[in-house]
């Protein structure tokens, strides 16, 4: 079976004037047009291709790289708005349609939006939606506290950044726990800090517990080497100064310094730390 909206490992079956026909183990075939055929491809080779519907609604394979896959979220730019809806650039020749019914607010050409890509059950076309909550489920969770997860930053609120966790759940990273610049559409690893009784999830972009020591120590040591072996930071430094220099909290900094000191990697000076 060939899954539209995802990558498929397919075998090259035969060569034609319009391109190569690729096949799955179940016997389904799909065309890879000549313009996408990698040089040196032979019959019997296996290719990893993305499959979707072309402008004429025909299943087609491509070696182009889409910026979002089926059942995933991504930040995409609107390139056209017409009477059907908004069309977004997702790295393929045929743009991704977001119907008006799937727009939280009316989309505007040139603007960027977080969009979920899914298969429309009526037309069997891949379409997009920025009504994100429809595709997020916190009733049944697949994560636990302290799990390492992938985050997609979606919206800044008064409390902090709303994030999508593993393309499945909704979470929040509090503003006072963010020590580096982030923006809408950024993806980065995070950690499940707390799951509340109502299944709301607090997330941290810094490692938790004992796991915080090694990454912090490594970051401080790298900054020391980049700075000639010395940093004018110590336990009396202002939290804002530490955040500006190292993108971490003062608490994390002190733990990292403690790890380096115990390992005899640094010595503590009155006005800073220095590599031994």
């Amino acid at each position: 079976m060939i899954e539209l909206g995802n990558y498929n490992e397919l075998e090259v079956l035969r060569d034609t004037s319009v391109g190569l026909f690729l096949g799955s183990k179940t016997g389904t075939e799909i065309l890879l047009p000549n313009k996408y055929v990698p040089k040196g491809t032979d019959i019997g080779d296996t290719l990893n291709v993305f499959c979707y519907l072309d402008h004429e609604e025909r299943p087609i394979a491509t070696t182009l790289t889409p910026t979002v896959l089926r059942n995933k979220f991504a930040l995409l730019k609107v390139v056209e708005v017409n009477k059907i809806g908004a069309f977004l650039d997702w790295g393929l020749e045929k743009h991704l349609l977001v119907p008006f019914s799937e727009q939280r607010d009316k989309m505007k050409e040139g603007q960027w939006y977080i969009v979920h890509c899914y298969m429309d059950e009526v037309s069997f076309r891949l379409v997009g939606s920025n009504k994100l909550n429809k595709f997020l489920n916190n009733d049944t969770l697949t994560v636990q506290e302290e799990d390492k997860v992938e985050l997609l930053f979606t919206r800044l609120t008064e409390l902090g950044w709303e994030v999508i966790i593993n393309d499945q759940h909704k979470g929040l990273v509090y503003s006072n726990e963010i020590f580096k610049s982030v923006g809408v559409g950024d993806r980065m690893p995070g950690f499940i800090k707390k799951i509340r009784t109502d299944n709301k999830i607090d997330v941290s972009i810094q490692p938790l517990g004992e796991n915080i020591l090694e990454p912090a120590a490594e970051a401080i040591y790298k900054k020391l080497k980049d700075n000639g072996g010395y940093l004018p930071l110590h336990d009396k430094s202002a939290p804002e100064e530490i955040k500006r220099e190292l993108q971490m909290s003062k608490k994390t900094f002190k733990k990292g310094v403690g790890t380096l000191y115990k390992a005899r990697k640094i010595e503590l000076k009155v006005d800073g730390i220095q590599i031994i």
Side-chain angles (χ1 to χ4, degrees):
M1 180 179 178
I2 295 175
E3 185 178 2
L4 297 179
N6 268 317
Y7 286 99
N8 295 258
E9 289 280 348
L10 303 175
E11 181 182 353
V12 179
L13 302 178
R14 62 183 187 276
D15 192 358
T16 71
S17 61
V18 293
L20 299 178
F21 274 89
L22 313 179
S24 67
K25 293 181 180 179
T26 59
T28 309
E29 295 185 3
I30 193 169
L31 174 67
L32 177 67
N34 282 321
K35 57 186 173 182
Y36 301 133
V37 175
K39 290 183 179 180
T41 302
D42 295 320
I43 303 299
D45 287 351
T46 299
L47 296 177
N48 187 35
V49 292
F50 182 79
C51 300
Y52 72 122
L53 299 182
D54 67 8
H55 293 283
E56 299 181 18
E57 307 302 329
R58 299 173 301 185
I60 198 170
T62 178
T63 50
L64 295 176
T65 303
T67 49
V68 65
L69 302 179
R70 179 176 171 181
N71 299 327
K72 301 292 184 180
F73 298 83
L75 179 66
L76 303 178
K77 183 180 180 180
V78 176
V79 293
E80 180 187 355
V81 178
N82 60 26
K83 61 182 180 181
I84 300 175
F87 290 84
L88 283 62
D89 180 8
W90 61 323
L92 305 179
E93 288 190 10
K94 180 186 177 184
H95 296 139
L96 183 69
L97 169 66
V98 178
F100 289 118
S101 61
E102 291 299 326
Q103 298 177 25
R104 186 173 58 196
D105 298 305
K106 188 174 181 180
M107 290 182 164
K108 298 179 181 180
E109 185 174 329
Q111 297 296 309
W112 294 77
Y113 300 87
I114 299 289
V115 169
H116 179 79
C117 176
Y118 69 101
M119 176 75 76
D120 181 76
E121 294 181 355
V122 177
S123 66
F124 296 103
R125 292 183 299 178
L126 293 167
V127 293
S129 172
N130 80 322
K131 294 183 175 180
L132 306 185
N133 288 336
K134 289 174 54 176
F135 307 96
L136 297 172
N137 176 20
N138 277 42
D139 294 332
T140 304
L141 298 179
T142 61
V143 295
Q144 299 178 3
E145 291 184 0
E146 298 189 6
D147 279 359
K148 185 175 182 179
V149 294
E150 182 182 51
L151 305 177
L152 173 64
F153 284 72
T154 60
R155 189 167 72 98
L156 180 61
T157 68
E158 291 184 358
L159 292 176
W161 277 93
E162 291 183 354
V163 293
I164 295 174
I165 303 167
N166 290 348
D167 287 290
Q168 298 178 69
H169 310 304
K170 188 175 181 178
L172 181 73
V173 182
Y174 290 98
S175 293
N176 63 358
E177 297 180 2
I178 298 176
F179 303 99
K180 60 183 176 181
S181 177
V182 296
V184 174
D186 284 354
R187 279 192 181 269
M188 65 183 67
F191 300 85
I192 304 299
K193 183 178 181 181
K194 184 175 183 179
I195 297 177
R196 301 182 179 273
T197 54
D198 57 1
N199 274 11
K200 290 183 178 179
I201 305 174
D202 295 344
V203 187
S204 172
I205 58 174
Q206 298 187 84
L208 304 172
E210 293 301 316
N211 293 328
I212 199 171
L213 298 179
E214 208 53 44
E218 183 178 341
I220 294 168
Y221 198 69
K222 182 179 184 303
K223 187 71 172 181
L224 278 164
K225 290 192 291 185
D226 293 343
N227 210 46
Y230 175 79
L231 281 175
L233 298 174
H234 45 81
D235 60 357
K236 301 297 183 182
S237 295
E240 296 78 12
E241 187 179 2
I242 294 170
K243 176 181 176 180
R244 184 175 60 252
E245 289 292 330
L246 296 167
Q247 293 78 53
M248 64 178 64
S249 69
K250 184 170 182 177
K251 180 179 178 181
T252 300
F253 168 73
K254 291 173 71 174
K255 287 183 177 181
V257 167
T259 298
L260 293 172
Y261 182 74
K262 289 177 183 177
R264 298 184 180 180
K265 294 286 187 181
I266 62 171
E267 56 182 332
L268 306 180
K269 301 291 187 179
V270 175
D271 55 355
I273 54 177
Q274 184 171 325
I275 289 178
I276 295 177

